[in-house]
Amino acid sequence: MTDSLTIHRPDDWHLHFRDGAIMRDVVPFTARQFGRAIVMPNLTPPVTTTALAAAYRDRIMVAVPEGVSFTPLMTCYLTDTTDADDLARGAATGVFTAAKMYPANATTNSAAGVSNIENLYPVLARMEADDIVLCIHGEVTDHDIDVFDREKEFIDRHLRGLVANFPKLRVVFEHITTSDAVDFVLASGPQVAATITPQHLHINRNAMLVGGIQPHNYCLPVAKRETHRLALRKAATGGSGKFFLGTDSAPHLKRDKESACGCAGIFGAPYALESYITVFDEECALDQFEGFASLHGPAFYRLPVNEDTVTLERAEVAVPACLHVTGEEIVPWHGGQVLGWRFVG
Ligand code: DOR
Ligand code: ZN
């Protein structure tokens, strides 16, 4: 039995840091485990320009603890009025690693997102020409579409056409939650990949709704049926370079989650690697963990693999029921549970 695993330091290819005091308190959790992270731009106001992204990156760097090496990779929030020249300049000067497309009103702080994806095609053409990665929140927002069907519907209504129209555009289908998304990514060319969160590997929709509403298991896209969870586990642990780690860690204070209108998002950063490796262990796929966590993402983004390593060992870890940011309570993913793997460092 493998009791200890040393791998190249992983990266988190999808993450929310927020801003201000919360950001200063959550950055150390990610910087402790990961070498880099793709930082989501859904602030208020959103990070829509190179100048805003550069300033945000500087604020994040101030929050990285002394002696820790961590690089935030910035994304541009696409809107109906994105300036393609500014985006291209930001990418060329190394400020932007990717651009993020939220369909308008799909999730937290997405009101300024894209109202008609096809209207964005001129910007996507420029991204394809300049080889800028597109990260997509893949859900339709139409009120007549059931929330559990929104990802599949997005593939059929938008993603298939987008990928066909821009065959060279590198696309990351973010935080996939369905077997339909797995199938779509596998059937697409090497320019299409996906991130998978720890929560979607651990829970199905029952965890949100059985035994009372469980707000700490609520995120978007919502967890789906068990068949979908099993498809995601197979994809993540199966060795394909098309799937890689992206926590979608999305901190919301406990009181904002435990509310009549609870926020979507799971704070996965503090025990992220322990959470993922548990899944690989359960699937007897520890030999595939380094690929998913540390190698596939850099290969897709065409960035070097981190040179240093981290070690995880088989040992019980009690995840606190509650942590604190800005002096307020926040519930981490797996809060109150005992995990079977420990992050050594
Ligand atoms: O659950 C989510 N929370 N999904 C998202 O897409 C956004 C995120 C957030 O920013 O809170
Ligand atoms: Zn997200």
Side-chain angles (χ1 to χ4, degrees):
M1 199 199 288
T2 308
D3 288 327
S4 169
L5 202 63
T6 297
I7 58 173
H8 285 280
R9 183 176 292 277
D11 304 296
D12 186 346
W13 298 99
H14 182 124
L15 172 72
H16 301 265
F17 270 150
R18 313 304 187 203
D19 207 348
I22 292 195
M23 181 267 287
R24 286 194 288 278
D25 281 356
V26 301
V27 163
F29 288 112
T30 291
R32 184 175 86 96
Q33 297 199 327
F34 296 101
R36 294 164 292 200
I38 287 274
V39 179
M40 288 297 126
N42 62 332
L43 306 181
T44 29
V47 182
T48 49
T49 65
T50 301
L52 287 170
Y56 184 32
R57 183 174 65 181
D58 291 347
R59 295 196 295 280
I60 294 168
M61 288 311 293
V62 172
V64 175
E66 280 283 318
V68 174
S69 163
F70 174 78
T71 306
L73 304 174
M74 310 311 289
T75 56
C76 175
Y77 186 118
L78 296 173
T79 71
D80 290 343
T81 56
T82 293
D83 176 351
D85 288 334
D86 179 67
L87 169 57
R89 228 176 0 255
T93 54
V95 175
F96 287 132
T97 299
K100 174 68 187 253
M101 190 178 76
Y102 289 102
N105 301 314
T107 185
T108 309
N109 294 343
S110 61
V114 176
S115 60
N116 179 334
I117 290 169
E118 286 67 30
N119 284 354
L120 196 69
Y121 273 18
V123 174
L124 299 184
R126 181 67 178 275
M127 289 176 62
E128 182 182 45
D130 287 17
D131 202 14
I132 303 169
V133 171
L134 173 67
C135 299
I136 298 187
H137 183 112
E139 288 190 288
V140 297
T141 53
D142 311 55
H143 295 294
D144 58 324
I145 303 297
D146 190 284
V147 71
F148 292 102
D149 297 334
R150 289 182 173 191
E151 185 172 280
K152 177 176 174 0
E153 207 61 31
F154 185 87
I155 297 169
D156 296 336
R157 287 193 190 182
H158 303 293
L159 195 51
R160 221 176 280 289
L162 189 157
V163 165
N165 272 290
F166 302 99
K168 293 207 188 78
L169 180 64
R170 280 183 289 156
V171 174
V172 183
F173 194 172
E174 300 282 8
H175 43 52
I176 59 170
T177 62
T178 59
S179 61
D180 309 280
V182 170
D183 292 345
F184 176 80
V185 170
L186 285 174
S188 301
Q191 83 284 13
V192 178
T195 52
I196 306 181
T197 75
Q199 59 266 25
H200 294 113
L201 296 171
H202 278 279
I203 60 170
N204 62 35
R205 61 193 191 176
N206 285 12
M208 208 168 40
L209 297 169
V210 174
I213 293 245
Q214 311 285 330
H216 300 292
N217 290 336
Y218 172 59
C219 64
L220 287 169
V222 288
K224 308 292 193 300
R225 300 179 169 274
E226 179 65 358
T227 47
H228 295 295
R229 184 182 78 100
L230 295 178
L232 295 171
R233 283 171 82 103
K234 195 167 163 218
T237 61
S240 164
K242 284 173 160 283
F243 301 104
F244 40 86
L245 186 160
T247 61
D248 198 12
S249 178
H252 292 280
L253 298 179
K254 182 170 186 243
R255 61 180 157 83
D256 294 329
K257 297 279 296 169
E258 297 178 6
S259 138
C261 185
C263 294
I266 292 179
F267 183 36
Y271 294 85
L273 291 178
E274 297 89 328
S275 181
Y276 277 115
I277 198 171
T278 300
V279 171
F280 281 72
D281 192 14
E282 287 166 359
E283 296 290 329
C284 301
L286 285 173
D287 57 330
Q288 302 296 342
F289 186 59
E290 184 174 36
F292 179 79
S294 315
L295 307 179
H296 301 166
F300 184 85
Y301 274 92
R302 301 190 188 140
L303 291 168
V305 171
N306 293 316
E307 280 174 16
D308 61 335
T309 61
V310 300
T311 298
L312 290 125
E313 68 178 20
R314 198 182 292 281
E316 286 198 346
V317 168
V319 178
C322 219
L323 296 169
H324 290 86
V325 297
T326 66
E328 299 243 31
E329 290 182 322
I330 188 164
V331 176
W333 171 234
H334 294 299
Q337 298 173 11
V338 176
L339 297 176
W341 284 82
R342 192 172 81 86
F343 177 75
V344 180

